[in-house]
Amino acid sequence: MEGFDWYGNVILPLFVFASRVGDVSLGTLRIILTARGKRSLAPLLGFFEVLIWIVVVSQLITHARTPFAFLGYAAGFALGNFLGIYIEEWFAIGYVIVRVILQQDGERLFSALKREGFGVTVFDGQGTRGPVKLIFTVVRRRDLRKVLSIIRTVSPSAFFSVEDIRAAHAGVFPKDQ
């Protein structure tokens, strides 16, 4: 096709899209890591995030003549958010606290978690429907699936909640295998 603007209609939109995926993913990771107390990496991620953003915006201002580059910008932003969250979940950095409330099987669950090397604390409590066991365990995020699997296997009807925590000191954690 003679006269077709390959740079403005194809190359620039793809460049903008890929760059925005990269810089927004870095920004999402930076925010999540900062919130989890992992602040040492945030400045480095922020540096590259802004560097990419400046290059992309300068290219848009200088060369964008069709709406395709702007659509690439928006689509890259959306996918970058998704990928940033996905990457952080894949790395599973940090710790969570798992709270379990059971009317039955409390001792079995306590024993099962302890047998797998998790630090576990159990309390007797009183719930709306009578006596309960409250089980607490702080685990590395990468171990969360295993803990939830144990809970669902031992006591499928157990109520549990999971919350992020910023830090954990001492405690009992399974040995890496």
Side-chain angles (χ1 to χ4, degrees), residues 9-177:
N9 287 309
V10 178
I11 296 169
L12 180 61
L14 290 174
F15 168 75
V16 168
F17 173 77
S19 298
R20 284 302 284 168
V21 167
D23 90 272
V24 173
S25 294
L26 289 175
T28 302
L29 281 171
R30 178 182 51 79
I31 291 167
I32 291 170
L33 292 175
T34 300
R36 294 194 197 286
K38 306 290 184 194
R39 295 185 177 134
S40 59
L41 191 55
L44 183 63
L45 293 176
F47 173 83
F48 287 106
E49 172 191 0
V50 170
L51 180 63
I52 294 168
W53 184 85
I54 288 171
V55 170
V56 168
V57 169
S58 69
Q59 289 298 304
L60 278 172
I61 290 170
T62 307
H63 300 287
R65 289 172 183 61
T66 68
F68 298 120
F70 300 110
L71 291 173
Y73 188 91
F77 181 85
L79 184 58
N81 275 295
F82 175 79
L83 283 180
I85 293 167
Y86 181 79
I87 291 167
E88 191 280 330
E89 287 175 353
W90 185 70
F91 281 121
I93 297 169
Y95 298 89
V96 294
I97 184 167
V98 180
R99 294 183 183 96
V100 187
I101 302 173
L102 311 113
Q103 289 185 316
Q104 55 191 3
D105 299 324
E107 293 302 324
R108 277 188 22 184
L109 181 58
F110 175 82
S111 296
L113 290 167
K114 187 176 170 183
R115 188 171 42 255
E116 292 296 323
F118 295 102
V120 187
T121 302
V122 64
F123 297 97
D124 290 320
Q126 187 65 33
T128 303
R129 297 186 181 121
V132 294
K133 292 284 187 191
L134 293 94
I135 297 177
F136 295 80
T137 183
V138 173
V139 300
R140 294 176 293 221
R141 287 184 68 232
R142 68 174 179 247
D143 293 328
L144 179 60
R145 285 188 180 158
K146 183 174 184 178
V147 168
L148 296 181
S149 175
I150 293 168
I151 293 168
R152 289 181 180 121
T153 300
V154 173
S155 186
S157 63
F159 170 80
F160 64 87
S161 64
V162 178
E163 291 181 46
D164 286 321
I165 58 175
R166 291 182 62 144
H169 175 72
V172 176
F173 298 94
K175 301 212 183 327
D176 291 326
Q177 298 166 355

